[in-house]
């Protein structure tokens, strides 16, 4: 399988590195308007392959994407001083209006995997510009937030986060919803297990874990300037599920019909395989969680409605 990456910055390069180390494809192709940067990232990742898997890594123009089964869209611009979030969205939307047709001109059958923030709205933009089925336009969404949630729960309970089934839904952002009520491990609810292990999930613990998940990006950006490793691994995991036709359950963002008749991009658990992303599978939610998810959907929808796409 060939994977294309448009945008050779931190997110794109971390995704390529994670993909190479996991050996989930045979070839990686970088494309970036800064051709020297794309070439340097390709060479650097290539030098890691003798320690992992024999993957071909190259850089070039959009024609280099020909034959790609998945294309990660990690291009975009940063917020300018004094610039509003909607102004930033407008600029990134214009960039995607240029990028997406160029990608599809060379790999019309590819699945598009959106990583550019704000990822839910940019996934909506990509769907509008590409006119592809929702299954083939996937935003990384809350897959990383879900991983953060499980990691912190695992640390609190002293069990492997891989044994925890807990999800973060809605926006990849401040309005995201941590689903405590449906969280499980093994055949037990998470709350029951926590009580049996003498590590109850009291209000103080829940608040600390919520802040640990919801504010993670702020802390990381404050400390080192940007996030990279977590999202790189998350993108690699999605690519792996597509390439191996795994039918894995992952929280990703795709165009989703909502209760008010609108269509937005937001994260729900979805089955990911060779076809791309399946429909959203709504977990059982408490009344408070359901109301929070409605509010999260409204945040995304409000941002999308103000875009000129």
């Amino acid at each position: 399988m060939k994977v294309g990456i448009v945008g050779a910055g931190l997110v794109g390069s971390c995704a390529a590195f994670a993909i190479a180390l996991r050996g989930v494809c045979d070839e990686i192709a970088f494309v970036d308007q800064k051709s020297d940067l794309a070439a340097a990232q390709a060479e650097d990742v290539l030098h890691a392959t003798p320690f992992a898997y024999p993957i071909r890594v190259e850089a070039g123009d959009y024609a280099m994407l020909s034959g790609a089964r998945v294309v990660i869209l990690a291009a975009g611009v940063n917020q300018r001083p004094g610039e509003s979030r909607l102004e930033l969205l407008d600029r990134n939307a214009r960039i995607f209006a240029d990028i997406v047709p160029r990608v599809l001109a060379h790999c019309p059958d590819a699945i598009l995997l959106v990583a550019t923030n704000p990822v839910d709205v940019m996934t909506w933009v990509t769907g509008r510009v590409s006119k592809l089925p929702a299954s083939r336009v996937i935003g990384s969404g809350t897959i990383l937030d879900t991983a953060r949630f499980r990691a912190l729960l695992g640390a609190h309970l002293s069990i492997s986060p891989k044994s925890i089934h807990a999800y973060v839904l809605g926006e990849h952002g401040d309005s995201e919803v941590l689903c405590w009520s449906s969280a499980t491990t093994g055949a037990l609810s998470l709350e029951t297990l926590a009580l049996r292990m003498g590590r109850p999930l009291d209000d103080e613990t829940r608040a600390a874990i919520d802040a640990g998940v919801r504010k993670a990006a702020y802390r990381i950006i404050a400390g080192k300037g940007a996030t990279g490793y977590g999202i790189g691994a998350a993108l690699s995991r999605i690519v792996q599920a597509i390439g191996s036709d795994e039918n894995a359950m992952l929280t990703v963002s795709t165009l989703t019909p909502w209760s008010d008749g609108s269509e937005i991009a937001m994260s729900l658990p979805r089955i990911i395989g060779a076809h791309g992303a399946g429909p959203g599978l709504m977990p059982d939610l408490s009344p408070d969680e359901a109301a929070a998810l409605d509010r999260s959907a409204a945040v995304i929808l409000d941002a999308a409605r103000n875009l000129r796409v």
Side-chain angles (χ1 to χ4, degrees):
M1 179 176 71
K2 181 176 182 178
V3 175
I5 300 177
V6 180
L10 184 62
V11 171
S13 61
C14 283
F17 185 57
I19 287 168
L21 291 187
R22 293 175 74 100
V24 301
C25 71
D26 305 305
E27 184 177 355
I28 298 171
F30 275 107
V31 175
D32 195 287
Q33 64 175 354
K34 298 177 181 177
S35 58
D36 289 348
L37 174 64
Q41 298 284 32
E43 184 175 5
D44 201 12
V45 173
L46 179 66
H47 294 166
T49 60
F51 306 108
Y53 298 88
I55 295 173
R56 184 177 178 183
V57 188
E58 296 182 310
D61 58 17
Y62 283 90
M64 182 68 70
L65 301 175
S66 179
R69 187 170 170 189
V70 180
V71 177
I72 297 171
L73 302 178
V77 294
N78 295 322
Q79 199 162 358
R80 295 168 176 166
E83 183 177 42
S84 73
R85 183 169 178 264
L86 288 180
E87 289 169 337
L88 172 65
L89 280 172
D90 279 335
R91 290 201 291 139
N92 273 338
R94 289 194 295 272
I95 289 171
F96 268 48
D98 175 63
I99 286 174
V100 171
R102 292 189 183 201
V103 170
L104 293 177
H106 295 284
C107 47
D109 298 323
I111 292 171
L112 303 183
L113 178 51
V114 182
T116 299
N117 276 321
V119 69
D120 302 294
V121 183
M122 295 310 299
T123 301
W124 180 84
V125 168
T126 304
R128 292 287 296 269
V129 171
S130 69
K131 298 181 172 58
L132 293 175
S135 61
R136 288 178 52 201
V137 180
I138 304 172
S140 57
T142 59
I143 186 173
L144 177 54
D145 310 273
T146 291
R148 290 166 173 162
F149 191 22
R150 294 178 181 182
L152 292 177
L153 286 170
H156 174 70
L157 297 170
S158 293
I159 63 175
S160 168
K162 289 186 176 182
S163 296
I164 295 173
H165 302 283
Y167 297 94
V168 178
L169 310 181
E171 179 201 17
H172 173 56
D174 292 342
S175 73
E176 63 191 23
V177 181
L178 280 64
C179 294
W180 293 92
S181 64
S182 59
T184 63
T185 179
L188 300 175
S189 73
L190 203 66
E191 187 170 359
T192 297
L193 177 71
L195 288 171
R196 291 187 184 180
M197 296 183 68
R199 298 169 182 255
L201 294 166
D202 55 28
D203 290 345
E204 183 179 354
T205 300
R206 290 183 184 227
I209 291 175
D210 185 286
V213 174
R214 200 178 303 273
K215 302 300 181 182
Y218 295 105
R219 291 191 304 275
I220 294 168
I221 291 169
K224 59 180 258 185
T227 61
Y229 300 130
I231 186 57
L235 293 165
S236 173
R237 181 68 185 93
I238 298 169
V239 172
Q240 180 185 38
I242 294 169
S244 61
D245 194 19
E246 186 177 346
N247 288 336
M249 184 80 74
L250 303 173
T251 48
V252 295
S253 184
T254 70
L255 287 177
T256 305
W258 202 240
S259 55
D260 64 355
S262 59
E263 189 176 55
I264 61 172
M266 63 180 294
S267 286
L268 292 170
R270 304 175 195 275
I271 296 173
I272 309 297
H275 62 284
L281 301 170
M282 183 71 72
D284 294 331
L285 302 175
S286 70
D288 286 346
E289 290 166 350
L293 189 58
D294 278 333
R295 291 192 294 270
S296 187
V299 168
I300 302 168
L301 183 60
D302 183 61
R305 281 175 172 163
N306 285 281
L307 276 176
R308 295 185 293 273
V309 178

